[in-house]
């Protein structure tokens, strides 16, 4: 059974309405489309109304009737706003670095169902006092907002201490690390853009 997050993400592609538009453009009824695909009119109706998500083989049978590729159904629909709701229960918790026995932090993606994201949002928890993350750098810009606790961000050798409610913006193309300050856990929201606004 699909989770609510996956259902929301699939609805974002509007596969059913795209099939309906193709069918109406060809002036086909559900019965006629059924004859061409071998799928029942009832199933096709459920797919078009978004009550059922087709498997890839089923979608391919429909695509072949209309002479389109599978990619037609997964391209962004310019008439619909891009959106995704990510439920807390559906987020996956990952360590800073796979295989590290004592990670400096663990993170959860806040926007993973969206393809071609314009930014990446993360919920991050730091729980190991004085355990510094691996130095890393990547294109773009980053903003950190501390929800609880204290966090030290080191940017090219300079420490910046952030407390609850503090935020920091920086060019993440420069080496940076994070570490918890104090014994209390720290949580933060980190948002990263794929590239800086000036590029």
């Amino acid at each position: 059974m699909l989770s609510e997050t996956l259902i929301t993400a699939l609805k974002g592609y509007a596969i059913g309405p795209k099939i309906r538009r193709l069918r109406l453009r060809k002036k086909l009824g559900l019965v006629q489309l059924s004859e061409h695909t071998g799928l029942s009119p009832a199933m096709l109706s459920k797919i078009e109304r978004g009550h059922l998500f087709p498997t890839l083989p089923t979608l391919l049978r429909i695509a072949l009737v209309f002479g389109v590729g599978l990619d037609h159904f997964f391209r962004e629909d310019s008439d619909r706003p891009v959106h995704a709701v990510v439920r807390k229960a559906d987020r996956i918790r990952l360590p800073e670095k796979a295989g590290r026995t004592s990670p400096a932090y663990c993170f959860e993606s806040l926007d993973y169902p969206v393809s071609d994201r314009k930014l990446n949002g993360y919920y991050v928890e730091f729980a190991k006092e004085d355990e510094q993350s691996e130095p890393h750098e990547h294109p773009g810009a980053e903003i950190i907002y501390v929800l609880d606790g204290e966090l030290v961000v080191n940017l090219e050798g300079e420490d910046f201490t952030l407390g609850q409610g503090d935020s920091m913006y920086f060019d993440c193309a420069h080496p940076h690390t994070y570490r918890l300050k104090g014994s209390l856990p720290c949580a933060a929201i980190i948002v990263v853009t794929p590239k800086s606004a000036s590029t």
Side-chain angles (χ1 to χ4, degrees):
M1 190 171 179
L2 295 175
S3 69
E4 191 171 339
T5 298
L6 290 176
I7 289 171
T8 301
L10 285 168
K11 281 183 177 177
Y13 289 108
I15 292 171
K18 286 175 182 173
I19 292 171
R20 179 177 170 78
R21 281 199 294 271
L22 288 170
R23 179 173 64 78
L24 294 178
R25 207 175 294 155
K26 288 271 190 182
K27 298 182 178 177
L28 292 176
L30 285 171
V31 173
Q32 291 171 297
L33 182 57
S34 169
E35 291 169 354
H36 286 294
T37 60
L39 304 168
S40 72
M43 176 185 275
L44 290 168
S45 176
K46 285 181 182 178
I47 291 171
E48 285 192 359
R49 288 180 288 131
H51 296 165
L52 181 68
F53 297 107
T55 63
L56 285 178
T58 296
L59 190 57
L60 183 57
R61 286 160 76 177
I62 296 169
L64 290 172
V65 171
F66 297 116
V68 298
L70 282 174
D71 61 312
H72 173 85
F73 300 103
F74 297 102
R75 287 197 297 261
E76 293 293 348
D77 190 336
S78 59
D79 295 334
R80 291 173 56 87
V82 177
H83 67 283
V85 175
V86 180
R87 304 294 177 191
K88 181 179 178 179
D90 295 326
R91 295 200 305 258
I92 299 172
R93 186 177 173 88
L94 297 169
E96 161 209 358
K97 190 173 181 182
R100 188 168 177 179
T101 55
S102 181
Y105 62 86
C106 291
F107 67 94
E108 301 170 9
S109 172
L110 299 175
D111 50 20
Y112 69 88
V114 182
S115 59
D116 194 26
R117 294 189 291 274
K118 294 178 175 62
L119 55 80
N120 295 285
Y122 303 96
Y123 172 74
V124 188
E125 288 185 344
F126 306 83
K128 297 285 185 181
E129 187 176 3
D130 295 327
E131 187 77 37
Q132 184 168 284
S133 66
E134 298 272 344
H136 59 289
E137 56 193 85
H138 43 91
E142 185 167 322
I143 189 164
I144 300 172
Y145 177 78
V146 177
L147 299 168
D148 292 300
E150 285 189 294
L151 179 67
V152 177
V153 180
N154 183 284
L155 181 63
E156 286 201 315
E158 184 178 357
D159 280 350
F160 299 88
T161 301
L162 306 177
Q164 182 180 15
D166 291 342
S167 61
M168 178 180 178
Y169 170 97
F170 60 94
D171 179 352
C172 48
H174 299 278
H176 55 283
T177 63
Y178 318 107
R179 74 175 185 273
L180 175 69
K181 183 176 182 181
S183 57
L184 296 176
C186 174
I189 298 293
I190 297 180
V191 177
V192 182
T193 62
K195 57 184 180 181
S196 61
S198 61
T199 58

